Amino acid sequence: MSAPAVFFPRTVAEAVELLDAYDGSAKLVAGGTALTLMLQQRLVSPEALVSLRDVPGLGGTSVEGGVVRLGALVTHTQAARHALVRAHLPVAATAFSLVGNAQVRAAATVGGVLAEADYASDPPAALLALDAEVLAVGPGGERRMPIAEFLVGFYQTTLAPEEIVTRVDVPALPPTAGSAYLKHTSRSHEDRPCVGVAAVVRSDGDGTCRDLRVAVGAACDRPLRLVDVEAGAVGSPLDDAAVEAVATAYAERVDPVADVRGSAWYRREMVQVWVRRAVHAARRAAEHTTNDQREGAVL
Amino acid sequence: MLDARDRVTGRTPFVINHEVPGMLHCRLVRSTAAHAAVRAVRTAEAAAQRGVVAVVTGADLTARGDMAMLFGPVLLDQPVLAVDVVRYIGEPVAAVVAEDPAAAERAAALVEVDYEHKAAVFDADEAFAPGAPLLFPEAPERDPSFADVTLRADHERNVCNTFTVVRGDVEAGFAAAELVVDDVYESPAAGAVPLETHAVVADARPDRLTVWSSTQTPYITRRQLALMFGLPLNRVRVIVPALGGGFGAKAYATVEPIAAALSRVVGAPVRLHLTREEEFVTMTKHAMRVRLRTGVMRDGRIVAREATAIYNAGAYAVISPRKVMFGAYGLNGPYAIPNVRTEAHAVLTNTPPAGAYRGFAINQCAWAYENQLDEIAERLGLDPVEIRRINLLRDGDEFCTGEKLHHLRFTELLDSAAERIGWGTEDPVQVGDVVRAKGVSCVIEGTITPSTSTAAVRLNPDGSVDVLTSSVEMGQGIRPALAGAVARRLGVDPELVQVSYVDTDLTPYDQQTTASRSMYSMGGATGRAADDVLGQVRELAADLLEADPADVVVTNGRAHVAGIEGDGIPIGDVVARSRVGNVLGEGTLVTEGGLDPFTGQGIGSVHWHQSVGAAEVEVDLATGRVTVLRYAGGVFAGEVIDPVGAQHQCEGCLVFGVGNALLEELVFDQGQLVNGSLADYMVPALEDMPASHDFELVEDREQGDVHGLGEPALPPIAPAIGNAVYRATGVRLHSLPISPEKVLRGLRERRDAARRDETVADETVEVHS
């Protein structure tokens, strides 16, 4: 084992070339928060480190055609504070704002957290609830994957070793939607989530649910969405009993992990509690937005 | 304030920044086996790497024949590098010395070790049971100079020491008791997690050894190294700059023997700085399990206590042989109990060595007895504060050691803490899923006794003052505190006082910087040294003032004839005009005492730390998560020298206490630490701390003692939180930490039990109707 070679390519294409040349034995460095830990604990021993530090164009946030584009090098702090994210993807802004601590958030990136695919993480669940798409560039050019297909298991994605996440496209929530991300830590506040739940709710004026999305993070190998359960709630009022039924369905169908943050039993219990709480919170937020809009209409 | 500018500008000296010309770097190869014979250590490939100077094994060191291979403060049981056998995962087996740290690390990964695994034992109760695997088939020798610990070792049961306290007639006490409560309580292993990990630079010459070390025990380390290398004490020089935290983990030699031995092998200075992961397996807090049986009368008086505590010492004894003394008397708590038999065993297991840790054995005791006392109160229908008032030691009472205690302020401390937390108001209060409640606890803790500190105070001709001390500055603020104390004694501006770092060639003997002893012992020694200076100044000033020395006094830094203040001479001028160069005062403070290890009778502590705590917590009944909302502590401080520093020490204790109560636990799987990194091991973050806290420091200036404040505030914290959680939830946990999952399980068990009771009640009704 020797110290890895370190590269600072100037373009995405150069970075892809380097990754390709190392054929799976190079690691890409963005914020470096997760990779540094893995290197220190010798969980990985790459031959080369390819830094994205000098690659321009990956750090922007914009909105186009109702889709918020988050550059891969946007940091968690930037994502949490950006006006576009807060306005159109509040649930993502919250999730990014709750990761680790200020030091970690200042370094960790949007692309990094998705490519790492750590199950015990906040942003992936929020982005899954938002139906985000991941853009990646490889030797064959660019491709686009729904996040549900991108995240496939514990620390596993469909990203090829020579591919680079360049952007995440997230459809803006309609203004009438309410959303919430709730993080449950079972140890320190700065710990990774034991369970994190993102929920999006949109209802008609009469309370009939028009859209429900619930993504549970950190409870199993990858964020969990049960689209049939979500769809089942649409068309009727999202009252307390309906919310409880959704929470129960997630708790029953999750295949929970056991780790230092909680046993499988505890995780299942927490899925029930936090799905309930997150959907309630999203419903309340939806009611507020609806009320705000009615008031706006009067004015 | 002394130190403040250096700290904020990054100029405080630490060993990790110390460089010596020609210095080489070391990386250790550590055992991956929990208990095994070392069959072969293959070093050739590592040794052939570029930049590698030497790869050294325990066998290599043994073959040299010029150093002892075993060290330890009480028992000579710990090998510098493993010889023939390894006893825990993480034990140093070989060392690579290289020109730079990266080369050392690369080569260390290439060393291969063949192990022949032996039966291992990780749980202390299992190690204590008959037929358990033995860590030491033969008894290790003693370090000859550690005479104040009497050993009651039992190698057949992996016991490195046992201590027993016996008072009154415990059987009669239980026979008379109207209620007996008998339970088992557990505290897990934990890490002290100093920000600076262990670091050392050693420079061994044939007839001399110099060590720059991050140790809390410079003079003990000097003695340990002198013994190991067969050198006179004055040929071993231990230099200790500031430490980035110690908390007990840096007491007694750990990395110093390794670096010193390697320096001798390679003939150059060697630096060894542990990684965070290594730090976690270098020194731990003892896991402890205690069976605690207490007999009480209906009116709440405790009449009997019997306890057997098993401290998990890890693979090597370190200071466990002394710890059991604190562990045995500590189980009595601050209560007047007439009939007692409490016993503590330190038991070796195949886990990393356990050593000193802030609160030295008392945290584990307090968690048990304060937890149980609340349970007793509930069963007797007594208020938790009231049952403590009934039993707390009062002036003139005898402690379990037979000592008659004075200057006791427990009741006052408890009443104040209870008032500040709002005890007696509505409790618990539930809003939605969240319920709030309060808890209290009281703790007694001794300081190391007997003990010795010496110091010198030097008055210069310009009036500036040097304090020469071997107390270690580890962030606790001993240097500014001593500067303040000496300045007060001499009547000079604290800005004029400098306090040394430690250099055993230059600064006088001090036993160790542990046990919250420095402000008492070193404060006493420097006070006496300052008095010595004043005495000499009076003699010199008498000549200058043409007066009788008996008539000369020093007031506000000026020597003058008593009653004639205006005529005085600044004490610096006394030095200058007398042409003595400087006035050098010496002070020594030796405390006497000690306890019989079979009965625990004698003098346990030169003074006793008295501490109470009251916590208000909030529990989420749906998740089990506990939040500490407020904390009110109280400590008898004797006299406070540095009010800001004193508060900071208590706040530091609060961080430790909240961590111990809610978060911290070293988790092992077959001897393998599974959360040995700061990503996995939780220490409290700012948001985990209570939103408000206050510590009352009760003083008694007439009495004149200065008590150390490094530890006393800590032990009451976890039980106060645990008792509050119980009042909030009805869930009484007997093991730390109080994790959300344990609380939730407890809530579910209570719910299920209540349902069963309802069912039974329904059936009963049916039968009778």
Side-chain angles (χ1 to χ4, degrees):
Chain A
M1 188 186 84
S2 57
V6 181
F7 297 97
F8 295 94
R10 308 298 292 258
T11 64
V12 171
E14 264 182 60
V16 169
E17 252 175 62
L18 281 162
L19 293 177
D20 201 21
Y22 273 91
D23 194 23
S25 61
K27 280 277 176 193
L28 200 62
V29 185
T33 53
L35 185 62
T36 306
L37 284 176
M38 291 188 212
L39 287 168
Q40 266 180 1
Q41 295 176 22
R42 303 204 181 104
L43 296 173
V44 294
S45 46
E47 287 176 27
L49 296 174
V50 179
S51 170
L52 290 176
R53 187 190 71 186
D54 296 341
V55 178
L58 298 179
T61 301
S62 60
V63 64
E64 196 164 314
V67 174
V68 180
R69 299 175 163 189
L70 292 168
L73 290 189
V74 170
T75 66
H76 287 23
T77 304
Q78 290 166 341
R81 291 185 183 168
H82 201 285
L84 287 176
V85 183
R86 291 166 62 120
H88 299 298
L89 317 168
V91 59
T94 305
F96 281 111
S97 78
L98 294 174
V99 172
N101 55 32
Q103 296 95 312
V104 168
R105 292 193 294 273
T109 63
V110 169
V113 71
L114 289 176
E116 188 203 2
D118 182 352
Y119 71 99
S121 180
D122 301 290
L127 293 172
L128 179 64
L130 291 167
D131 294 319
E133 286 190 320
V134 180
L135 274 71
V137 173
E142 188 180 80
R143 65 183 179 121
R144 179 183 276 274
M145 292 155 276
I147 193 167
E149 292 168 23
F150 176 82
L151 299 170
V152 292
F154 287 109
Y155 302 95
Q156 280 188 330
T157 66
T158 50
L159 199 66
E162 60 281 358
E163 275 184 315
I164 297 172
V165 174
T166 53
R167 205 172 83 199
V168 182
D169 282 0
V170 196
L173 284 177
T176 51
S179 65
Y181 177 78
L182 300 182
K183 171 180 185 172
H184 174 58
T185 56
S186 56
R187 306 189 300 172
S188 167
H189 277 83
E190 291 189 2
D191 195 7
R192 289 149 203 255
C194 171
V195 167
V197 180
V200 175
V201 171
R202 193 162 53 80
S203 302
D204 282 344
D206 65 357
T208 307
C209 179
R210 284 297 154 215
D211 186 15
L212 172 67
R213 295 182 245 161
V214 177
V216 173
C220 49
D221 62 340
R222 57 187 166 137
L224 174 71
R225 264 185 83 174
L226 299 173
V227 287
D228 57 320
V229 173
E230 294 173 354
V234 171
S236 22
L238 197 56
D239 55 18
D240 288 357
V243 174
E244 201 58 44
V246 171
T248 302
Y250 273 83
E252 280 173 357
R253 283 166 60 182
V254 69
D255 180 15
V257 293
D259 62 14
V260 284
R261 285 176 286 274
S263 68
W265 170 81
Y266 185 68
R267 276 239 168 57
R268 199 183 294 282
E269 295 286 332
M270 290 306 97
V271 169
Q272 174 104 26
V273 170
W274 291 97
V275 167
R276 176 203 308 141
R277 288 179 176 182
V279 176
H280 275 300
R283 192 180 65 183
R284 273 198 304 278
E287 285 162 5
H288 284 287
T289 59
T290 316
N291 291 341
D292 290 350
Q293 290 197 336
R294 282 201 200 102
E295 283 162 27
V298 171
L299 291 170
Chain B
M1 189 181 89
L2 185 73
D3 261 7
R5 184 175 297 274
D6 281 356
R7 284 201 184 272
V8 296
T9 56
R11 290 185 304 187
T12 302
F14 296 105
V15 175
I16 56 171
N17 298 325
H18 188 72
E19 294 190 3
V20 178
M23 180 173 84
L24 299 173
H25 299 265
C26 170
R27 177 60 57 213
L28 298 175
V29 178
R30 291 176 177 271
S31 171
T32 55
H35 195 197
V38 177
R39 285 294 170 234
V41 184
R42 282 192 289 277
T43 60
E45 196 185 349
Q49 297 295 305
R50 191 151 47 92
V52 172
V53 176
V55 184
V56 181
T57 66
D60 297 336
L61 295 178
T62 309
R64 293 172 58 89
D66 64 348
M67 62 183 85
M69 282 304 296
L70 298 171
F71 70 97
V74 183
L75 292 171
L76 300 173
D77 60 352
Q78 194 162 354
V80 179
L81 295 170
V83 180
D84 299 335
V85 61
V86 289
R87 296 185 179 87
Y88 68 96
I89 295 173
E91 178 162 5
V93 175
V96 176
V97 182
E99 287 162 5
D100 64 86
E105 180 161 356
R106 280 196 301 276
L110 299 173
V111 174
E112 289 179 5
V113 185
D114 291 349
Y115 298 107
E116 187 180 312
H117 292 274
K118 300 174 171 218
V121 62
F122 310 110
D123 180 90
D125 280 301
E126 288 173 21
F128 188 58
L134 296 181
L135 271 79
F136 290 89
E138 286 169 40
E141 286 179 37
R142 290 197 62 152
D143 181 320
S145 51
F146 221 92
D148 72 302
V149 174
T150 304
L151 283 183
R152 295 171 58 195
D154 177 358
H155 284 289
E156 300 301 310
R157 305 187 74 178
N158 291 307
V159 173
C160 65
N161 203 11
T162 292
F163 200 97
T164 313
V165 175
V166 182
R167 177 170 173 75
D169 182 341
V170 76
E171 294 310 324
F174 279 111
E178 291 169 323
L179 171 70
V180 175
V181 177
D182 185 353
D183 265 308
V184 174
Y185 299 87
E186 288 181 84
S187 296
V193 197
L195 194 55
E196 171 208 44
T197 57
H198 282 73
V200 60
V201 178
D203 187 1
R205 307 291 169 89
D207 60 345
R208 183 150 181 86
L209 170 63
T210 305
V211 167
W212 292 264
S213 163
S214 64
T215 182
Q216 293 175 238
T217 53
Y219 270 86
I220 294 172
T221 299
R222 179 177 81 151
R223 195 201 73 217
Q224 290 186 277
L225 292 169
L227 182 69
M228 187 179 145
F229 292 102
L231 290 168
L233 291 173
N234 68 351
R235 295 298 182 101
V236 177
R237 181 180 187 186
V238 177
I239 300 169
V240 185
L243 269 58
F247 315 116
K250 291 177 180 164
Y252 313 105
T254 50
V255 290
E256 297 85 355
I258 301 173
L262 295 173
S263 176
R264 188 170 265 213
V265 170
V266 297
V270 171
R271 176 183 192 269
L272 174 55
H273 177 205
L274 299 187
T275 64
R276 179 59 59 189
E277 288 70 22
E278 289 178 297
E279 182 71 25
F280 275 109
V281 296
T282 295
M283 201 62 79
T284 66
K285 175 190 180 188
H286 289 70
M288 186 268 239
R289 189 179 289 133
V290 57
R291 180 171 174 191
L292 185 65
R293 194 167 156 244
T294 302
V296 292
M297 305 307 284
R298 256 184 224 109
D299 62 8
R301 278 177 300 132
I302 307 173
V303 292
R305 172 160 293 169
E306 185 175 35
T308 304
I310 307 269
Y311 283 84
N312 187 332
Y316 296 102
V318 197
I319 200 61
S320 293
R322 177 181 278 154
K323 197 152 217 167
V324 288
M325 178 178 84
F326 286 70
Y329 74 60
L331 285 164
N332 289 270
Y335 304 113
I337 309 177
N339 306 296
V340 165
R341 187 177 190 286
T342 53
E343 186 161 78
H345 306 282
V347 177
L348 299 168
T349 65
N350 295 110
T351 57
Y357 179 98
R358 198 174 198 172
F360 204 73
I362 300 298
N363 298 309
Q364 295 94 323
C365 298
W367 167 246
Y369 67 72
E370 285 301 88
N371 199 323
Q372 189 181 62
L373 192 55
D374 262 34
E375 185 160 347
I376 291 169
E378 187 183 30
R379 288 175 63 176
L380 293 175
L382 285 171
D383 178 87
V385 169
E386 186 54 31
I387 197 169
R388 288 174 172 80
R389 281 200 197 107
I390 290 167
N391 288 289
L392 279 170
L393 290 159
R394 288 177 175 75
D395 269 0
D397 281 348
E398 282 190 7
F399 191 42
C400 62
T401 56
E403 288 158 87
K404 193 165 273 192
L405 301 187
H406 303 285
H407 312 294
L408 294 181
R409 309 291 283 270
F410 277 115
T411 307
E412 173 189 344
L413 286 165
L414 174 62
D415 287 350
S416 165
E419 189 187 330
R420 281 177 287 137
I421 207 73
W423 190 262
T425 53
E426 197 187 344
D427 197 34
V429 180
Q430 185 169 352
V431 179
D433 283 340
V434 174
V435 59
R436 289 183 176 194
K438 308 176 189 92
V440 295
S441 76
C442 304
V443 173
I444 192 166
E445 179 178 8
T447 184
I448 189 168
T449 304
S451 92
T452 301
S453 288
T454 73
V457 170
R458 183 169 67 169
L459 175 63
N460 297 306
D462 63 351
S464 66
V465 177
D466 295 305
V467 177
L468 298 175
T469 172
S470 294
S471 282
V472 175
E473 175 58 64
M474 47 191 185
Q476 85 278 44
I478 189 64
R479 294 174 73 244
L482 289 176
V486 168
R488 198 187 287 188
R489 201 88 160 208
L490 295 176
V492 302
D493 184 344
E495 295 289 322
L496 290 172
V497 182
Q498 270 298 321
V499 179
S500 69
Y501 287 104
V502 182
D503 180 341
T504 59
D505 267 12
L506 305 172
T507 55
Y509 176 85
D510 181 41
Q511 187 168 312
Q512 58 204 105
T513 305
T514 69
S516 308
R517 66 183 285 279
S518 296
M519 273 320 287
Y520 180 86
S521 291
M522 186 54 72
T526 53
R528 289 176 182 189
D531 288 346
D532 187 12
V533 166
L534 290 175
Q536 295 180 50
V537 164
R538 278 200 297 273
E539 295 277 344
L540 296 168
D543 282 348
L544 299 172
L545 293 165
E546 295 177 353
D548 190 314
D551 295 334
V552 176
V553 293
V554 179
T555 319
N556 296 326
R558 297 173 76 89
H560 58 92
V561 177
I564 315 175
E565 262 188 62
D567 238 12
I569 310 171
I571 57 176
D573 289 358
V574 172
V575 178
R577 287 167 58 182
S578 306
R579 302 189 58 250
V580 291
N582 55 211
V583 169
L584 192 59
E586 295 173 347
T588 297
L589 193 138
V590 181
T591 64
E592 302 292 345
L595 298 175
D596 178 88
F598 295 91
T599 64
Q601 301 303 295
I603 303 293
S605 185
V606 63
H607 68 79
W608 291 90
H609 292 298
Q610 305 167 48
S611 177
V612 306
E616 183 178 24
V617 305
E618 192 172 82
V619 183
D620 183 337
L621 298 175
T623 67
R625 200 180 205 294
V626 176
T627 303
V628 183
L629 299 173
R630 295 190 299 134
Y631 188 82
V635 178
F636 178 54
E639 181 180 351
V640 174
I641 300 298
D642 173 1
V644 174
Q647 286 292 332
H648 286 177
Q649 281 285 47
C650 294
E651 288 173 0
C653 284
L654 187 57
V655 177
F656 266 66
V658 169
N660 289 165
L662 302 182
L663 308 173
E664 295 189 48
E665 175 175 23
L666 292 174
V667 179
F668 292 93
D669 178 9
Q670 296 296 302
Q672 171 68 55
L673 181 60
V674 298
N675 60 343
S677 80
L678 286 179
D680 299 316
Y681 183 88
M682 289 291 120
V683 290
L686 196 59
E687 283 185 86
D688 298 315
M689 299 306 294
S692 78
H693 67 267
D694 70 296
F695 285 94
E696 177 184 41
L697 298 171
V698 170
E699 293 186 85
D700 182 353
R701 294 193 176 213
E702 283 173 22
Q703 196 251 325
D705 279 355
V706 178
H707 293 194
L709 291 169
E711 298 163 281
L714 173 55
I717 296 171
I721 292 171
N723 287 338
V725 169
Y726 174 75
R727 284 166 67 84
T729 61
V731 175
R732 182 160 292 290
L733 295 179
H734 287 183
S735 74
L736 287 171
I738 304 165
S739 70
E741 180 159 351
K742 286 184 196 167
V743 174
L744 191 69
R745 272 190 201 280
L747 286 164
R748 289 300 155 80
E749 282 163 16
R750 281 176 57 78
R751 188 187 66 188
D752 294 347
R755 281 184 185 161
R756 274 197 304 276
D757 291 347
E758 276 172 28
T759 315
V760 171
D762 289 347
E763 284 167 2
T764 310
V765 171
E766 277 169 30
V767 168
H768 289 277
S769 58

